[in-house]
Amino acid sequence: MKKIVVAGAGGFIGGHLVKELVKKGNRVRAVDLKPLNEWYQVSDEADNLMLDLRLRENCYRAVNGYNEVFNLAADMGGMGFIENNKAACMISVLINTHLLLASKDCGIDRFFYASSACVYNGDKQTDPHNPGLKESDAYPALAEDGYGWEKLFSERMCRHFREDFGLTTRVARFHNVYGPYGTFDGGREKAPAAISRKVIEAGITGKKEIVIWGDGLQTRSFMYIDDCIKGIQDIMYSNIEEPLNLGSSEMVSINQLVDIVEDIAGYKLNRIYDLKAPKGVRGRNSENTLIKKYLGWEPSIPLRKGMKKTYDWISEQVVDETRRKKGTNRFNK
Ligand code: NAD
C-alpha cells in the first residue's frame, strides 16, 4: 500500500484518479481548493482536505508523510475560460512550484505533473488537417498564451527538479479529456460537454438551433476519461523522463463532434456559427508514436462510445436540475 497525494482531487480528472487509486488499495490524500460539497466525486476512504495549494505552507502540509504526488490542480477551463483569464491561469505556477519544493524537502519518491497540448507551438496548428503534434513540436516555444506558457514552464521545472535534486518527475501532455463527473456548464466547460449540454437543453426547451463557436471546421482529438486514468498511472510508474503526449489520435472537426452528439440525441438542430467566440487553434491532434513505443499502448476508446456515456451523464444532471428548480429553472423562468 502506497501513500499518495492527489492535488486537484475535487476536479474532473482528480476525482476519477482518487477513486481508482483507492480501489487499488492505496492510502490516498485528496486535496482541493473547493469546499467538499463542490467536488465532482468524493471518496469517503480518502483523507479529503480543503487547501489552497498556491500557498507554500499548505503544500508542505499536503505532502508531508506521503510517498507520491499527482499534481492535477490548476485554475483552468475550456477556450472560453483560458482566453479570458490568462493571468489566473499563470498563477497556477505557484501550485506546481510549491508542490515540487515540498516534495523535494519531504522526500517524495515520485511526482506526476498534468501538462497540456496547449504547450505546443501555435504555428504548427494552423491547418485543420493537423498530422499530429509530436512531443518535439513544443519547441521553439510559442505556447497558448497564459495557460500554455504556465504549463510549459512547469514542465521545465519538473525536469530541473529531477536533474538538480534527484526528484523523480513524470509529465503527461493531456489532449482534451472528456467524460462524466466533469464541468458541463458555468463557463469552464470544454467542447464535448458544452455541445452535449446545448443539444440536451434544446431537446428540453424545443429550441431548434445550436450555437457553435467558430466555423465548426476546426479540428481536435478527445480522450475519454478511462484512457486518461490508465495513461496517467502508466506514465507515472514508467521510466519515461520527458513529457509524453497522452491523447487520442481520432481527430474530428467540431462539426463532426456535433454530428455525433445529435446522433446520440436522435434529433438535428440548425447550426449557428459564432465567428467571434473563442475558438483556439485551427487544428490539433495527438501524435502517438512515442507512447506506443514506450508503453505499447495508446488511448483508443472510440469517441462515439465515450460521448454516449458523457451525454447520458450530462443529461441526468440537466434533467435533475430542471426538476429541482421547477418553477424557477433556466428553462421556464
Ligand atoms: P478541473 O478544473 O476539473 O480540476 C482542477 C482542480 O484543481 C479543481 O477542482 C480546482 O478547484 C483545483 N484547484 C484550482 N486551484 C487550486 C488551488 N489553488 N489549490 C488546490 N486546488 C486547486 O480540471 P481537470 O479537467 O480535472 O484538469 C486536471 C489537470 O489536467 C489540470 O492541471 C489541467 O490543466 C490538466 N489538463 C486537463 C485537460 C482536460 O481536457 N480536462 C487537458 C489538458 C490538461
Side-chain angles (χ1 to χ4, degrees):
M1 185 180 77
K2 282 183 288 199
K3 291 164 79 182
I4 304 175
V5 177
V6 177
F12 165 47
I13 303 172
H16 285 276
L17 184 64
V18 169
K19 244 180 109 185
E20 174 71 12
L21 295 173
V22 164
K23 199 171 88 190
K24 287 188 166 159
N26 298 292
R27 186 156 144 207
V28 178
R29 173 171 281 169
V31 187
D32 204 286
L33 175 68
K34 295 187 291 199
L36 212 57
N37 65 352
E38 290 177 24
W39 293 24
Y40 289 114
Q41 303 188 74
V42 178
S43 294
D44 293 335
E45 303 90 334
D47 175 25
N48 298 305
L49 291 182
M50 188 187 138
L51 291 173
D52 183 347
L53 294 172
R54 287 169 296 195
L55 304 179
R56 192 173 183 270
E57 61 273 24
N58 285 346
C59 289
Y60 280 78
R61 196 177 147 203
V63 310
N64 198 16
Y66 275 66
N67 312 122
E68 297 176 354
V69 173
F70 288 86
N71 177 17
L72 300 161
D75 197 359
M76 62 88 67
M79 280 320 295
F81 181 80
I82 65 176
E83 279 199 4
N84 294 306
N85 295 277
K86 292 178 185 142
C89 289
M90 293 204 87
I91 287 172
S92 295
V93 77
L94 295 176
I95 303 174
N96 200 57
T97 304
H98 290 143
L99 275 176
L100 278 171
L101 276 171
S103 297
K104 168 180 85 73
D105 291 343
C106 297
I108 288 293
D109 299 329
R110 263 172 203 268
F111 183 99
F112 176 91
Y113 177 62
S115 186
S116 163
C118 287
V119 299
Y120 285 114
N121 186 315
D123 286 347
K124 297 183 178 171
Q125 302 174 79
T126 55
D127 185 349
H129 305 288
N130 192 306
L133 293 155
K134 297 188 294 295
E135 283 74 357
S136 55
D137 288 334
Y139 296 98
L142 185 58
E144 176 78 39
D145 203 6
Y147 178 72
W149 279 103
E150 189 278 320
K151 290 288 182 194
L152 198 60
F153 178 87
S154 290
E155 281 189 358
R156 298 287 293 194
M157 193 100 162
C158 289
R159 170 180 173 165
H160 296 307
F161 267 66
R162 177 170 49 77
E163 291 173 347
D164 294 359
F165 302 131
L167 176 66
T168 300
T169 59
R170 299 289 178 257
V171 176
R173 291 179 181 153
F174 299 168
H175 290 245
N176 294 300
V177 190
Y178 71 99
Y181 300 98
T183 312
F184 64 93
D185 66 0
R188 288 179 187 251
E189 63 276 21
K190 297 188 162 206
I195 291 167
S196 298
R197 192 203 69 235
K198 288 178 189 179
V199 169
I200 293 161
E201 287 178 349
I204 293 173
T205 59
K207 210 168 134 191
K208 299 276 178 279
E209 293 158 353
I210 180 168
V211 176
I212 292 166
W213 288 9
D215 62 6
L217 301 176
Q218 66 272 36
T219 52
R220 294 290 183 279
S221 73
F222 301 96
M223 167 170 58
Y224 189 62
I225 185 68
D226 291 1
D227 273 338
C228 181
I229 296 302
K230 173 175 163 49
I232 289 174
Q233 296 170 90
D234 287 358
I235 291 171
M236 174 67 145
Y237 301 114
S238 74
N239 56 8
I240 308 156
E241 297 188 323
E242 293 306 319
L244 201 61
N245 274 336
L246 181 57
S248 163
S249 56
E250 184 188 350
M251 188 172 74
V252 292
S253 68
I254 294 301
N255 274 331
Q256 287 171 319
L257 181 62
V258 178
D259 290 343
I260 290 174
V261 178
E262 286 178 338
D263 182 52
I264 294 168
Y267 47 83
K268 291 220 153 285
L269 299 165
N270 298 322
R271 298 179 190 185
I272 297 169
Y273 295 100
D274 181 355
L275 301 181
K276 293 209 173 106
K279 43 199 169 286
V281 295
R282 194 69 181 142
R284 175 177 289 168
N285 195 11
S286 181
E287 210 285 332
N288 287 347
T289 302
L290 277 189
I291 192 168
K292 283 192 280 188
K293 178 176 155 201
Y294 290 132
L295 301 180
W297 172 86
E298 66 178 315
S300 55
I301 296 172
L303 184 58
R304 174 69 171 73
K305 192 172 167 197
M307 281 306 295
K308 169 81 175 112
K309 293 186 181 175
T310 308
Y311 179 94
D312 288 347
W313 180 80
I314 294 174
S315 190
E316 280 170 30
Q317 312 313 304
V318 174
V319 170
D320 277 0
E321 189 194 317
T322 312
R323 283 206 197 103
R324 219 174 23 244
K325 297 184 179 167
K326 217 167 184 159
T328 54
N329 69 68
R330 61 178 127 149
F331 305 116
N332 58 4
K333 65 185 159 194

